[in-house]
Each structure stands twice: as structure tokens, then as C-alpha cells.
Amino acid sequence: MDWWLELSLPVRLIVLFLVGVTLAGQLNRAIYRWTWHPLNRDPWTPPLEGAPPRQWYDRIPVFGWLTISRESALHPTAYWVQPLLIELGMGFFLAWFYHFSITGGQLPQVIGVSPDALVLHGFFLRFSVLVALMVIATFIDFDTRIIPDQVTVPGLLLGLLLCAWLPQSALPIPEPPLFYQTGFERHVDPSFQVVAAPMLATTPAPWYEPYNGPWGLGLGLLLVSLWWLAIAPKIVWLRGSFNKAIRIWVGSFRRYALNWFYLGLLLLLWVLVGAVWLWCGTVSWQAVLTGLLGMGFGGMLIWLVRIAAGVAMGKEAMGFGDVTLMAMIGVYVGWQPVTVIFFLAPCIACVFAVIRWLMTGDAYLAFGPYLCMATLAVILGWGHFWQQYGPILQLGGWLPALFLSLPLVLGVMLAIWGWIKWNLIYRE
């Protein structure tokens, strides 16, 4: 890392801009290839029949989209503008986000001592990876209203690896002050300087020591097993009797999930969690378990919203891809920021829904992009969010329980609105 820091800051920013536009070329490739119906639009895939042959310069970032625009007659109008802007935007974002990260833009104001360069660079790497994954998910969801497992499954595994490798790279919080005792009174040590500490699952309380033992290992294995069970392919058939639904579920699970790929994925998860617990030390294990608890809380929160809204509205209100997306985000940010994202995403979505309704008369939106926008807002505004809402975490274990009960409240509200709409508005 020393060789990197020896470079001047302008040189590092230029390098990261070039890395960003090059990386975004592969993000565009994923956007077109991982969608429901793969599209042959990017210069890395064979052209459509009737298109002129691809040239080597078509693969040059940004410039290549100008040359490949010669295929416009075979694709939607100005199809090349979106991927070109994605590549430029990713280049500028990586350069800007690097400067933001190494200058402590993510730190709450009360922190007086900046972390060392390794921690700041780890923050940049961790959340740059998350942003890249969210770019893919956002544009696929915009286009097809699905979020493929090709994004969320590797993204979650990569997030766990980053937690183990860079455990200090989590969203920063002020380390609790040191106290000294005089009789029955406690006083803050005047020599104490507020430093940054990575946010853990038990923040603001101290780490729960049993999480470091076999009980914590069992919890980690249980969480990855439940996530695997959730994403494993199966048929959920709610029509007919309960016994019939169970038979269909079990039969489809045995047929589609009990194969080498999914059983291998489960084994990989168990090995990863077990290896971190055994050999990577307490700090890495705390970061990984924090990520797993963020995964469980984020995924369960959106899943309960999906179930409650679907029951209240009588139709699917949210795709399961939103559940897996929120679970992936939870690994990177932890459960506490998920509570902010949960409220912020619908506010952003409502603004776009109103604009869409005014322009087209259709207010239906894919929700995944707004989860990604809210996540980015929380990451960039983390210092402000912590200053404003950090004290709420003093509720401790009651806070996640409170949030997991909100989907039930949402379901009741939607059911009441549905009754009003059908019985009081439409009947008039």
C-alpha cells in the first residue's frame, strides 16, 4: 500500500477514474447479460444478425459506445447513451468517493482523531464494491423489474469476505469515552480523545461475549442456512389445502434445490463462517457476525413487508429480489443503518412515483433502485445520520423488534385502505 500512497493525490484520482470507467464496462456487460432476456448490446457479446462486425476499439470505455452507436437501427433509440453515462458516472464517482473516504467525510463530527490510512482505504474498497453491485441491480430492475441472484448471491459472499479481511472498514461510530470513578460518581477522563470504531451488531452496547464462543458460531451457521433456504428454488403454492401446499413445497425443493450447485453453496457458506470463527481472530469474527445479523435483519424486514402488503392488497406487492437485495446490503452496512434505509427508500420512491404518474398515468415502480438510492444516501451522509439518530440506538434490543413489527402495522393500514377504496370510493 505504501507505493500507492507515495503517488500524488491527483495521480491517484486519475487512476481511479480510469479504473471506474473500465469497471463500469463490465457492469454494463452484466446489466445486459444477467437480465431476464439477455441482450446483445454491449461490445463484449456477439452482435445481432445484420449488425456490422465488432471492432477492437468498440471495447474502449466510453469511446466505444460512440462507435457502437452505428447499431442504433437494431436497438432502441439512443440505447448507447445509458451505458456511456454509467461508465462516465462510475469513473467520476470512484475518484470523488476516494477523496471523500480518505479525508474522513464519513466520520461523525464528534470524532477528533481520524483512523489510519488502511482503515480509510478499507472503507473505500468495501463500499465501492457495494455501489458497483447496486448499479447492476438498479438498472436491471429498472428495465425488467427483477433483481437476479447473479448479483445478490456473489455480492453477499464477497461482503462476508470483506468483513473478515477488513473488519475495521465498517461504518464508523465514536468510541465510548473513558471514565474514572471518584466515590459514587463517574467522570469522563479529560485526556480521552474521541476516536472512530467500527459499528458492531451490539452497538452502542459492548460486544456480547458469548457471541465469540460456540453459541455465536451456531448463530452464524443458522443465519447462513436460513438465507440459503430462502434463496433455494422451490414452489410456494397457496391455493388449495395446507397439506397440498406442503407437498408441493417439499417436492419442488427436493427436485430443484438438492443438487450439486445449491448443496455446494451451502457447504461453502458453512466453511466460510467456520473458518473465520476458527482462524481469523475475534475482530474478524465480530465483523462477520455483525454482517450476518445485518443480512438477517434486512432480509427479514423486507420479507415481512412483502408478505403483509401482499396479503392486504391481494396481489404481489414486492418481488423476492428486493428481499435478497436488502439482505446483501445488510451484510455491508449492518442492521442499524437498515432502519434508516427502510424509511428513506419509500420517501424517495414516492417522489419518483408521483413524477411517473404525472407523466404517464402509471405509478407502479420497481422498489430495488430506491433501496439502492437510500443505501447510497446513508453511506455518504453517515456522519450526519449518526449525529441525528445515533441516540435512538439506546433502545438496544427493542429497536429491531420494533422495526420487525412495522410490517404488521403496514399490512393493517393497507387492508383498511383497501376496504375504504372498494366500499366507499369505487361504489360511489
Side-chain angles (χ1 to χ4, degrees):
M1 184 171 169
D2 291 339
W3 67 268
W4 172 254
L5 294 177
E6 288 174 359
L7 299 174
S8 66
L9 180 58
V11 171
R12 281 181 274 165
L13 296 180
I14 292 172
V15 170
L16 287 170
F17 173 82
L18 297 176
V19 169
V21 296
T22 304
L23 170 65
Q26 299 309 305
L27 301 185
N28 279 321
R29 186 181 185 181
I31 290 168
Y32 291 130
R33 302 310 298 170
W34 292 349
T35 188
W36 185 257
H37 297 290
L39 302 171
N40 292 55
R41 295 181 183 176
D42 66 280
W44 298 89
T45 54
L48 293 176
E49 185 178 351
R54 296 275 169 80
Q55 305 296 328
W56 65 267
Y57 48 77
D58 292 336
R59 294 182 176 180
I60 299 176
V62 181
F63 174 78
W65 289 104
L66 297 175
T67 62
I68 208 173
S69 63
R70 62 181 178 270
E71 299 180 10
S72 293
L74 302 175
H75 301 293
T77 303
Y79 79 100
W80 51 273
V81 174
Q82 173 183 299
L84 184 151
L85 292 177
I86 289 174
E87 292 182 5
L88 274 177
M90 196 66 186
F92 283 115
F93 175 81
L94 273 193
W96 176 86
F97 186 55
Y98 176 78
H99 186 269
F100 171 87
S101 300
I102 66 171
T103 56
Q106 71 276 27
L107 300 175
Q109 293 180 357
V110 296
I111 294 177
V113 180
S114 180
D116 61 33
L118 180 61
V119 172
L120 296 174
H121 282 73
F123 176 90
F124 165 74
L125 177 61
R126 175 175 180 156
F127 291 103
S128 294
V129 169
L130 177 59
V131 169
L133 293 165
M134 293 194 301
V135 167
I136 301 173
T138 293
F139 285 96
I140 293 179
D141 206 11
F142 271 141
D143 292 339
T144 61
R145 292 177 180 174
I146 63 167
I147 299 174
D149 287 346
Q150 291 98 315
V151 179
T152 55
V153 173
L156 184 138
L157 292 173
L158 187 54
L160 292 176
L161 290 173
L162 287 170
C163 288
W165 180 40
L166 300 169
Q168 301 292 330
S169 64
L171 290 169
I173 61 167
E175 191 173 48
L178 298 177
F179 294 93
Y180 66 93
Q181 197 84 15
T182 57
F184 294 101
E185 297 182 357
R186 285 202 314 169
H187 306 276
V188 177
D189 186 342
S191 64
F192 177 79
Q193 290 184 305
V194 180
V195 298
M199 186 171 58
L200 299 175
T202 56
T203 298
W207 180 256
Y208 186 49
E209 195 59 33
Y211 280 161
N212 293 331
W215 192 87
L217 174 62
L219 177 60
L221 293 174
L222 174 63
L223 287 168
V224 295
S225 301
L226 291 175
W227 176 82
W228 175 85
L229 185 63
I231 68 163
K234 52 198 169 289
I235 298 174
V236 179
W237 186 264
L238 300 179
R239 299 174 184 175
S241 66
F242 177 75
N243 289 336
K244 181 180 179 181
I246 293 296
R247 288 198 304 271
I248 293 175
W249 191 95
V250 173
S252 63
F253 182 80
R254 291 175 60 184
R255 180 175 181 180
Y256 300 118
L258 299 184
N259 54 47
W260 287 110
F261 175 80
Y262 282 99
L263 291 177
L265 175 61
L266 178 61
L267 179 61
L268 176 63
L269 289 165
W270 286 348
V271 169
L272 173 60
V273 171
V276 174
W277 184 76
L278 280 172
W279 297 308
C280 292
T282 301
V283 176
S284 291
W285 171 247
Q286 291 175 353
V288 168
L289 188 57
T290 294
L292 290 174
L293 290 169
M295 172 200 73
F297 178 75
M300 182 59 68
L301 184 60
I302 301 300
W303 200 350
L304 291 175
V305 170
R306 180 176 185 262
I307 294 172
V311 171
M313 299 172 66
K315 61 180 181 180
E316 186 177 88
M318 186 180 296
F320 193 74
D322 298 319
V323 177
T324 58
L325 175 65
M326 195 69 249
M328 181 192 77
I329 291 171
V331 170
Y332 289 84
V333 302
W335 72 263
Q336 298 94 330
V338 167
T339 60
V340 182
I341 295 168
F342 178 75
F343 280 114
L344 188 57
C347 296
I348 299 173
C350 284
V351 174
F352 282 87
V354 170
I355 295 173
R356 180 181 175 88
W357 179 74
L358 291 174
M359 296 178 64
T360 67
D362 179 15
Y364 182 82
L365 292 174
F367 191 55
Y370 307 103
L371 287 174
C372 294
M373 292 180 194
T375 301
L376 183 60
V378 169
I379 294 170
L380 299 181
W382 175 246
H384 174 74
F385 280 115
W386 177 263
Q387 295 289 136
Q388 296 295 319
Y389 305 109
I392 296 177
L393 294 178
Q394 298 295 336
L395 291 172
W398 289 103
L399 188 59
L402 173 64
F403 271 84
L404 290 176
S405 68
L406 290 178
L408 177 61
V409 177
L410 174 65
V412 172
M413 292 172 61
L414 289 174
I416 294 173
W417 169 245
W419 183 88
I420 293 173
K421 182 170 65 175
W422 288 106
N423 292 275
L424 300 181
I425 298 178
Y426 284 173
R427 285 189 177 181
E428 294 180 0

Short mmCIF file of all heavy atoms in Angstrom, two decimals, residues 38 40 73 133 143 146 226 238 241 299 344 375 383 388 393:
data_model
loop_
_atom_site.label_atom_id
_atom_site.label_comp_id
_atom_site.label_asym_id
_atom_site.label_seq_id
_atom_site.Cartn_x
_atom_site.Cartn_y
_atom_site.Cartn_z
N PRO A 38 -31.37 -12.01 -21.97
CA PRO A 38 -30.08 -11.38 -22.26
C PRO A 38 -30.10 -10.60 -23.57
O PRO A 38 -30.73 -11.00 -24.55
CB PRO A 38 -29.13 -12.59 -22.34
CG PRO A 38 -29.77 -13.63 -21.49
CD PRO A 38 -31.24 -13.46 -21.68
N ASN A 40 -27.87 -8.51 -26.56
CA ASN A 40 -26.57 -8.40 -27.23
C ASN A 40 -26.30 -6.95 -27.61
O ASN A 40 -26.24 -6.61 -28.80
CB ASN A 40 -26.54 -9.30 -28.47
CG ASN A 40 -26.57 -10.77 -28.11
OD1 ASN A 40 -27.45 -11.22 -27.40
ND2 ASN A 40 -25.60 -11.51 -28.60
N ALA A 73 -29.99 1.22 -35.33
CA ALA A 73 -31.16 0.75 -36.06
C ALA A 73 -31.67 -0.59 -35.54
O ALA A 73 -32.85 -0.93 -35.73
CB ALA A 73 -30.85 0.65 -37.54
N LEU A 133 -22.23 -3.28 -7.18
CA LEU A 133 -23.30 -4.27 -7.19
C LEU A 133 -24.67 -3.61 -7.30
O LEU A 133 -25.56 -4.09 -8.01
CB LEU A 133 -23.23 -5.12 -5.92
CG LEU A 133 -22.00 -6.02 -5.79
CD1 LEU A 133 -21.86 -6.53 -4.37
CD2 LEU A 133 -22.10 -7.19 -6.76
N ASP A 143 -35.16 -1.94 -15.88
CA ASP A 143 -35.51 -2.45 -17.21
C ASP A 143 -36.49 -3.61 -17.16
O ASP A 143 -37.40 -3.68 -18.01
CB ASP A 143 -34.24 -2.89 -17.95
CG ASP A 143 -33.34 -1.71 -18.30
OD1 ASP A 143 -33.85 -0.57 -18.35
OD2 ASP A 143 -32.13 -1.92 -18.51
N ILE A 146 -36.78 -7.12 -12.13
CA ILE A 146 -36.26 -8.27 -11.38
C ILE A 146 -34.86 -7.91 -10.88
O ILE A 146 -34.19 -7.04 -11.44
CB ILE A 146 -36.18 -9.55 -12.25
CG1 ILE A 146 -35.20 -9.36 -13.41
CG2 ILE A 146 -37.54 -9.97 -12.75
CD1 ILE A 146 -34.83 -10.65 -14.10
N LEU A 226 -30.47 -20.31 6.94
CA LEU A 226 -31.78 -19.75 6.65
C LEU A 226 -31.76 -18.93 5.37
O LEU A 226 -32.72 -18.97 4.58
CB LEU A 226 -32.25 -18.90 7.83
CG LEU A 226 -32.58 -19.67 9.12
CD1 LEU A 226 -32.92 -18.69 10.25
CD2 LEU A 226 -33.74 -20.63 8.90
N LEU A 238 -50.13 -21.48 -2.76
CA LEU A 238 -51.03 -21.11 -1.67
C LEU A 238 -52.49 -21.41 -1.95
O LEU A 238 -53.36 -21.15 -1.12
CB LEU A 238 -50.86 -19.62 -1.36
CG LEU A 238 -49.45 -19.19 -0.93
CD1 LEU A 238 -49.39 -17.70 -0.67
CD2 LEU A 238 -48.99 -19.97 0.29
N SER A 241 -55.49 -26.83 -0.22
CA SER A 241 -55.31 -27.17 1.20
C SER A 241 -53.88 -26.95 1.65
O SER A 241 -52.95 -26.87 0.84
CB SER A 241 -55.69 -28.63 1.42
OG SER A 241 -54.79 -29.48 0.74
N GLY A 299 -33.04 -8.66 5.38
CA GLY A 299 -33.85 -9.56 4.57
C GLY A 299 -35.20 -9.83 5.21
O GLY A 299 -36.24 -9.81 4.52
N LEU A 344 -36.20 5.70 4.48
CA LEU A 344 -35.78 6.63 3.44
C LEU A 344 -36.18 6.15 2.05
O LEU A 344 -36.58 6.96 1.20
CB LEU A 344 -34.27 6.84 3.53
CG LEU A 344 -33.65 7.92 2.65
CD1 LEU A 344 -34.29 9.28 2.94
CD2 LEU A 344 -32.15 7.99 2.87
N THR A 375 -29.60 3.52 0.34
CA THR A 375 -28.36 3.00 0.90
C THR A 375 -27.20 3.93 0.60
O THR A 375 -26.37 4.23 1.48
CB THR A 375 -28.07 1.60 0.32
OG1 THR A 375 -29.16 0.72 0.64
CG2 THR A 375 -26.78 1.04 0.89
N GLY A 383 -22.12 10.37 8.68
CA GLY A 383 -21.76 11.22 9.82
C GLY A 383 -22.96 12.00 10.32
O GLY A 383 -23.22 12.09 11.53
N GLN A 388 -27.63 12.63 14.22
CA GLN A 388 -29.05 12.88 14.44
C GLN A 388 -29.77 11.70 15.10
O GLN A 388 -30.63 11.89 15.96
CB GLN A 388 -29.73 13.20 13.11
CG GLN A 388 -29.24 14.49 12.47
CD GLN A 388 -29.59 15.72 13.29
OE1 GLN A 388 -30.69 15.82 13.84
NE2 GLN A 388 -28.66 16.65 13.36
N LEU A 393 -30.44 4.35 19.07
CA LEU A 393 -29.94 3.00 19.28
C LEU A 393 -29.85 2.64 20.76
O LEU A 393 -29.62 1.47 21.10
CB LEU A 393 -28.56 2.85 18.64
CG LEU A 393 -28.53 2.96 17.10
CD1 LEU A 393 -27.10 2.84 16.62
CD2 LEU A 393 -29.39 1.88 16.48
#
